[in-house]
Amino acid sequence: KAGVTQTPRYLIKTRGQQVTLSCSPISGHRSVSWYQQTPGQGLQFLFEYFSETQRNKGNFPGRFSGRQFSNSRSEMNVSTLELGDSALYLCASSASGTAFYEQYFGPGTRLTVT
Amino acid sequence: LAKTTQPISMDSYEGQEVNITCSHNNIATNDYITWYQQFPSQGPRFIIQGYKTKVTNEVASLFIPADRKSSTLSLPRVSLSDTAVYYCLVGYSSASKIIFGSGTRLSIRP
């Protein structure tokens, strides 16, 4: 089986712009979660989707949003980008149907905001 | 406020057993603890998971004491390829919160 794929792998944006990141989970996995990783804050949970519904949400501002499609693919959107949004954004999928159990991570999208 | 802490770094030698501890508070009896390994430029990779006492798989063991205020990842006979950052993750099911530990950078020497 193919692993979790994320596109694009690298992205450079300017403050104030918005960005959309894409994630394709492992075939058959219906739970998709998103994480932000920075040197200062480490790994932080953004949100989790299951069957097109947001199930859990971390402590991030409303500028961060996501959605999941009927084929389980997911997108994450960040509006009005700030310099502090520069990070590695990781997507993970789970066969168990929840991020509380074993997850498979993609390689991430490196976002740089200038 | 849920908080999960780990040692920043650890050093060991090939062939040794390494134990990495994660301290967590307010964890319920059915909250799972999961450990992940991360290499540079890669996403984290699942190692082991459990919610009580001891769990063992082909690569590691996980120990959770009765008070559930900490958990310990045990890596038997480490090799150079085990040099990585190790993260614990606690899933607080009642609060629907997922908290990663700060990560432990493990360095293995020949």
Side-chain angles (χ1 to χ4, degrees):
Chain A
K1 277 187 178 179
V4 176
T5 58
Q6 294 186 242
T7 56
R9 291 292 311 277
Y10 302 91
L11 204 50
I12 300 175
K13 289 286 188 179
T14 304
R15 269 183 302 176
Q17 289 186 315
Q18 74 167 13
V19 66
T20 299
L21 312 181
S22 181
C23 171
S24 293
I26 292 173
S27 178
H29 289 194
R30 294 166 62 191
S31 166
V32 174
S33 299
W34 289 88
Y35 299 85
Q36 181 195 65
Q37 185 171 28
T38 61
Q41 299 297 318
L43 277 158
Q44 294 183 279
F45 171 70
L46 280 156
F47 30 66
E48 178 194 8
Y49 285 86
F50 179 81
S51 292
E52 303 179 64
T53 301
Q54 187 180 88
R55 189 156 56 180
N56 295 312
K57 190 177 189 304
N59 295 324
F60 278 81
R63 300 185 297 106
F64 292 82
S65 64
R67 60 177 176 170
Q68 186 180 34
F69 302 95
S70 58
N71 61 357
S72 294
R73 190 177 68 86
S74 178
E75 287 182 348
M76 189 193 97
N77 185 77
V78 187
S79 63
T80 319
L81 284 166
E82 301 176 0
L83 294 179
D85 296 333
S86 293
L88 180 67
Y89 290 88
L90 292 158
C91 167
S93 71
S94 174
S96 65
T98 172
F100 289 115
Y101 303 137
E102 180 177 355
Q103 298 179 79
Y104 295 82
F105 283 81
T109 294
R110 172 76 61 185
L111 172 65
T112 302
V113 182
T114 61
Chain B
L1 180 65
K3 190 174 181 182
T4 307
T5 58
Q6 301 177 230
I8 294 174
S9 63
M10 295 181 67
D11 295 324
S12 188
Y13 293 91
E14 280 192 296
Q16 299 294 305
E17 178 185 73
V18 171
N19 296 309
I20 305 174
T21 298
C22 172
S23 298
H24 31 70
N25 56 8
N26 303 322
I27 185 169
T29 54
N30 60 345
D31 287 340
Y32 273 80
I33 297 155
T34 311
W35 283 84
Y36 289 89
Q37 176 192 55
Q38 187 177 29
F39 296 110
S41 303
Q42 295 184 24
R45 186 177 72 171
F46 174 85
I47 301 173
I48 196 166
Q49 180 180 67
Y51 71 99
K52 64 178 181 180
T53 57
K54 177 182 176 182
V55 178
T56 297
N57 63 20
E58 62 275 11
V59 299
S61 295
L62 172 60
F63 300 92
I64 303 172
D67 66 7
R68 298 174 60 74
K69 292 183 178 180
S70 67
S71 63
T72 298
L73 170 71
S74 181
L75 303 172
R77 298 179 299 280
V78 293
S79 64
L80 295 176
S81 62
D82 292 318
T83 294
V85 181
Y86 292 81
Y87 293 94
C88 63
L89 179 153
V90 180
Y92 295 90
S93 54
S94 60
S96 297
K97 295 295 182 186
I98 294 171
I99 307 292
F100 265 103
S102 49
T104 298
R105 187 172 300 277
L106 176 64
S107 298
I108 305 301
R109 302 176 183 178

